[in-house]
Structure formats: structure tokens, C-alpha cells
Amino acid sequence: MEHASLSYDYDFLGGEQHVYTFKTQSGAGYEIKFKPSGYLISDADLEEYIYELVIALSINPFEPALPPADGLLAPTIAQIVADFLTSHERVVVYICDDSDSRADARRKLFDGWFRRFSKKRYVKIELSLGQDETGQDFTAELVARFDNILVPRIYESFLKAISAAK
């Protein structure tokens, strides 16, 4: 798809995980996936509306280093999330991965993206998932359009699932 010059062009591949792909000017490739994740909530009637946002670096010509900073990365991901949320019932869940001890940095980056690109069209709810043995906080972010009437029910269902897991 062709988009404003303030973001990279991306392709929608579709599939079960609603995969989008794009390549940066430096040659790095990314896959943005919206993985069905109804298991994250307690209400089976709402499962079809819950998707986990996955941002995956699929091509890294700079290995073992990470690709250089890129000013078009955030606006491209924001454009993709907006495209995915055109169906107003969908809710995206972003869980900060901490497999490399960088969850806090990822959460701050996501919060910055949200503030910069939400344009008052979306609501974001931060939920605590608890702490690990080192005291590191784990959070999840629920993102949906403001006009999504399912958000209160999804939020309550997510809280019940978190409480049951503790």
C-alpha cells in the first residue's frame, strides 16, 4: 500500500495473524502481526475481538547489531495499527516482552508512539500484570478506538483473567 511520505510503504499479507510487512531504507525488514489472543480474557464471547500486537524484526542486515535508529519506523507502525483498527470492535493488546530485560524501554517507546500518533481517536488502558522476582513490573496496554462499545466489557474481562492468574 502507498502511504504518506512520512511513513514507509507496507504490504498487508493477511492470514490468521493479520501480517503486515515493510522494509526500511537501511534494508531492515519488519513484520507487524495482530495475533488472535482471546485467551487473555475471561469472557469467551469477546475472544474474537482481542489481538496481541507483535513487532518482529524479520530481516536484519546489521547482525549481530540492531538496525540504526529510523525516524519512519514509529509512524509506519502507527499507520499499520490504525489500519488494523478500522474495524471498531477490535482491541489490540500490547504486552511488553522482557526476554532481553528491555520491557520498560519498550513500554516507554510504545507510550511515546501512542501520545504522538493517537490523535484523540484511540483510548489506551495500562494494566499491571505483576512483578517478577527482581521487582520488574510487567504491563499490558489495551488500545481501541474511542467508539468501541466493547471496551468496558473487555477491560473487566481482562482484569478477571489477570486476577485468576495471580
Side-chain angles (χ1 to χ4, degrees):
M1 291 185 146
E2 196 168 309
H3 304 283
S5 61
L6 297 177
S7 66
Y8 288 113
D9 289 344
Y10 59 83
D11 293 310
F12 176 63
L13 304 181
E16 184 179 322
Q17 294 191 3
H18 308 274
V19 178
Y20 293 76
T21 63
F22 66 94
K23 205 168 195 180
T24 67
Q25 187 173 13
S26 67
Y30 289 86
E31 287 185 349
I32 310 303
K33 303 174 187 176
F34 297 92
K35 190 170 82 175
S37 299
Y39 66 89
L40 293 172
I41 61 174
S42 64
D43 187 339
D45 292 339
L46 298 173
E47 287 181 2
E48 67 182 287
Y49 304 111
I50 309 301
Y51 296 85
E52 183 179 351
L53 172 64
V54 177
I55 302 169
L57 178 61
S58 58
I59 301 170
N60 184 2
F62 304 95
E63 280 191 34
L66 291 174
D70 187 320
L72 294 182
L73 189 62
T76 303
I77 294 171
Q79 180 75 33
I80 290 169
V81 171
D83 185 69
F84 183 74
L85 289 175
T86 57
S87 171
H88 73 277
E89 292 93 0
R90 292 177 173 166
V91 173
V92 173
V93 178
Y94 179 66
I95 300 174
C96 295
D97 173 33
D98 196 44
S99 58
D100 59 1
S101 300
R102 296 182 59 210
D104 193 50
R106 283 187 183 91
R107 183 187 50 75
K108 288 177 183 172
L109 182 62
F110 185 80
D111 288 348
W113 288 352
F114 185 82
R115 280 191 306 277
R116 184 172 171 201
F117 299 110
S118 71
K119 296 181 182 161
K120 309 282 186 221
R121 292 182 293 182
Y122 305 101
V123 61
K124 178 175 73 77
I125 303 168
E126 183 176 321
L127 299 163
S128 174
L129 300 178
Q131 294 182 335
D132 68 9
E133 60 279 349
T134 67
Q136 171 70 43
D137 289 322
F138 288 92
T139 62
E141 316 277 339
L142 301 181
V143 178
R145 287 177 27 172
F146 270 117
D147 62 351
N148 185 337
I149 62 171
L150 297 176
V151 169
R153 283 183 55 205
I154 289 170
Y155 173 73
E156 289 299 321
S157 182
F158 198 83
L159 286 178
K160 286 179 187 174
I162 291 170
S163 296
K166 289 183 179 179

